[in-house]
């Protein structure tokens, strides 16, 4: 156990040395891997929520949510809280916050700022999306599956990426139920508008989006 913790600390420090962390990036606090609601209770409470307060998530909530969704839970071989076909791990988790667009770097557990524009409104076609504090965008990096920029991408190339995203999104649903947050996974995403706003390459494909926030109680 002690060896595992030391190995983890060593890996995190190395990542900070080699990843260019800027002042615009968000260095997340360590995820709280204890507590939360029992699994059966979280499953009982899991649901889609589409009305949110304007309250931002705390950095601890962001940290816990991203780790629960797609964090590394076995440091030695960099495996994650969700499975992925052949362990390719091609799904990148982008986060649209009021302060800008970020990419979740699971190894260093930081949010790397892509730019400082608020693109929440472009992540979906439904009204609640623009005002919710957080919109996650799941992007398949097909470069990790051998596709080069300019290559033709067929729907069948994306089958496992849809499945892999489903596992991550369900982890986020369960974390939200456990933390009294609300969320909804969304296929209604204006991908042609959103991809250029995110600066994606042609071999990066938006799969789904997921809105998260504090539920508005009626
Ligand atoms: C692949 C997929 C795409 C979805 N797309 C949307 C969407 O674009 N907008 C939305 O409001 N809900 C969307 N949903 C949420 C479903 O409407 C919701 O899960 C369903 O109504 C059941 O409700 P529950 O999640 O509360 O059980 C989507 C769900 C899935 C699995």
């Amino acid at each position: 156990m002690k060896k595992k913790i030391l190995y983890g600390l060593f890996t995190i420090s190395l990542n900070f040395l080699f990843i260019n962390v800027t002042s615009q990036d968000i260095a997340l606090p360590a995820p709280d891997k204890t507590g939360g609601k029992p699994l059966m209770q979280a499953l009982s409470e899991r649901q889609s929520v589409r009305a949110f307060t304007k309250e931002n998530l705390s950095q601890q909530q962001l940290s816990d949510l991203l780790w629960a969704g797609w964090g590394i839970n076995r440091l030695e071989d960099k495996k994650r809280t969700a499975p992925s076909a052949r362990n390719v791990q091609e799904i990148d988790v982008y986060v649209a916050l009021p302060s800008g667009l970020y990419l979740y770097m699971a190894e260093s557990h930081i949010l790397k700022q892509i730019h400082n524009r608020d693109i929440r409104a472009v992540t979906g076609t439904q009204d609640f999306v623009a005002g919710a504090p957080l919109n996650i965008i799941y992007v398949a990096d097909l470069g990790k599956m051998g596709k080069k920029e300019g290559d033709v991408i067929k729907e069948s190339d994306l089958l496992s990426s849809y499945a892999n995203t489903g596992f991550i999104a369900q982890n986020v649903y369960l974390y939200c139920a456990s933390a009294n947050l609300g969320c909804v996974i969304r296929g209604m995403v204006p991908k042609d508008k959103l991809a250029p706003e995110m600066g994606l390459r042609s071999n990066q494909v938006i799969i789904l989006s997921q809105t998260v926030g504090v539920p508005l109680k009626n």
Side-chain angles (χ1 to χ4, degrees):
M1 185 65 186
K2 213 169 159 191
K3 229 169 143 188
K4 262 190 171 176
I5 293 171
L6 280 176
Y7 180 84
L9 288 175
F10 177 69
T11 314
I12 288 170
S13 329
L14 270 187
N15 284 326
F16 268 103
L17 279 181
F18 292 115
I19 291 172
N20 187 16
V21 182
T22 70
S23 57
Q24 290 79 33
D25 298 339
I26 300 174
L28 295 165
D32 181 358
K33 300 178 191 171
T34 61
K37 292 178 189 169
L39 177 63
M40 297 306 260
Q41 189 183 342
L43 281 165
S44 305
E45 295 176 18
R46 189 218 62 85
Q47 61 179 303
S48 295
V49 170
R50 299 178 183 81
F52 306 94
T53 69
K54 296 245 176 285
E55 200 180 318
N56 284 326
L57 301 192
S58 68
Q59 289 205 354
Q60 189 64 55
Q61 285 171 318
L62 263 180
S63 166
D64 296 351
L65 180 151
L66 290 165
W67 182 82
W70 193 219
I72 292 179
N73 66 356
R74 286 152 292 164
L75 276 168
E76 299 90 322
D77 43 14
K78 297 179 185 172
K79 287 189 170 172
R80 310 271 190 133
T81 53
S84 66
R86 291 179 288 113
N87 191 32
V88 170
Q89 302 190 4
E90 83 283 11
I91 302 301
D92 286 325
V93 171
Y94 287 79
V95 170
L97 295 172
S99 55
L101 177 71
Y102 301 82
L103 173 62
Y104 175 52
M105 314 286 287
E107 274 187 59
S108 47
H109 199 60
I110 65 167
L111 283 172
K112 184 103 199 115
Q113 192 178 61
I114 305 297
H115 61 61
N116 62 5
R117 284 178 285 115
D118 180 359
I119 62 161
R120 288 174 297 161
V122 197
T123 67
T125 54
Q126 293 162 283
D127 287 346
F128 61 82
V129 168
L134 164 65
N135 284 284
I136 299 169
I137 306 124
Y138 298 106
V139 174
D141 181 356
L142 299 181
K144 291 190 183 156
M145 297 164 83
K147 290 280 180 196
K148 297 191 184 59
E149 282 192 67
D151 282 358
V152 175
I153 292 164
K154 299 189 290 282
E155 270 303 303
S156 57
D157 295 323
L158 299 172
L159 285 179
S160 54
S161 297
Y162 274 97
N164 297 337
T165 297
F167 290 108
I168 304 172
Q170 177 70 353
N171 283 355
V172 170
Y173 262 110
L174 290 176
Y175 166 73
C176 286
S178 171
N180 298 319
L181 294 172
C183 73
V184 60
I185 187 77
R186 293 183 290 98
M188 285 194 273
V189 178
K191 296 182 182 179
D192 291 347
K193 255 200 215 166
L194 180 56
E197 290 288 349
M198 297 176 67
L200 298 182
R201 303 184 309 269
S202 65
N203 56 353
Q204 287 181 292
V205 179
I206 296 168
I207 304 294
L208 293 169
S209 183
Q210 192 167 21
T211 305
V212 182
V214 176
L216 194 66
K217 304 236 164 54
N218 296 319

